Amino acid sequence: IAVNILEWGKQNIKFVGNINTNKSSRHDCTPQIIVNHVSEGSMSSMINWFTSPNNNQSSAHFGVSKKGEIYQFVAIEDAAWANGLTSGIENATAELVKQKGKDINPNWYSVSIEHEGVWAETKGKLTEAQLEATKWLHKYIIEYVKQKYGHTIQPSSKTIIGHYEIDKKQRPNCPGQLFPFASIIKSLTEPYQDIKGHWAESLIRQAIAEGWVKGYPDGTFQPDKPLTRAE
């Protein structure tokens, strides 16, 4: 599965970043969260802005068009300028951001995805092609980070978040109320086929989505297996 998803990335992600694209060091931080955004413009304007010599303020790792095309601007090994704050970090609602505090820039430990769209028109809802593409992109990012850093981003509402959870004052509508977080997280936890039809399936899925539990490395959940003391 790992080889397949990384190969998928090589075939479906187009790198378009250039020497003008803003980036920085991760300062020895490991990517731990994926932050979703709405671009407030077209895909072409996003590409132009993130590769423009006139832009010395912002960037993102990836962009997903309404047609389901995926573009990459910044390598995952680098920090993109999408989620950081110079002030107000104490107002963040994302649990990890609150834990790390104001002295650690969220850009250093996040991977950012922009989605083509305008909040006033879509409220964050994605096209079918866009949703399918971003589901695969999330899988790719998780596997890439696992292979590169030895860290597994466990898919949940704590690790798959919106920009508003970092900067609720300036970005309260990013990516929007209709952004399909639940659908994306569910697609990332589907390997647990052995919970289908189980009496506790809905409760297990809820617990997984909220980051309380996870399955076994072989892709099973084993819902009726007794817990060990360590577990």
Side-chain angles (χ1 to χ4, degrees), residues 146-165:
K146 180 180 179 181
Q147 296 294 324
K148 179 69 180 182
Y149 294 90
H151 171 73
T152 299
I153 299 174
Q154 296 292 345
S156 75
S157 57
K158 296 179 182 179
T159 58
I160 312 295
I161 68 173
H163 193 187
Y164 73 96
E165 295 176 75

Side-chain angles (χ1 to χ4, degrees), residues 71-84:
Y71 298 91
Q72 185 169 6
F73 303 96
V74 176
I76 290 177
E77 290 82 354
D78 296 317
W81 295 2
N83 310 308

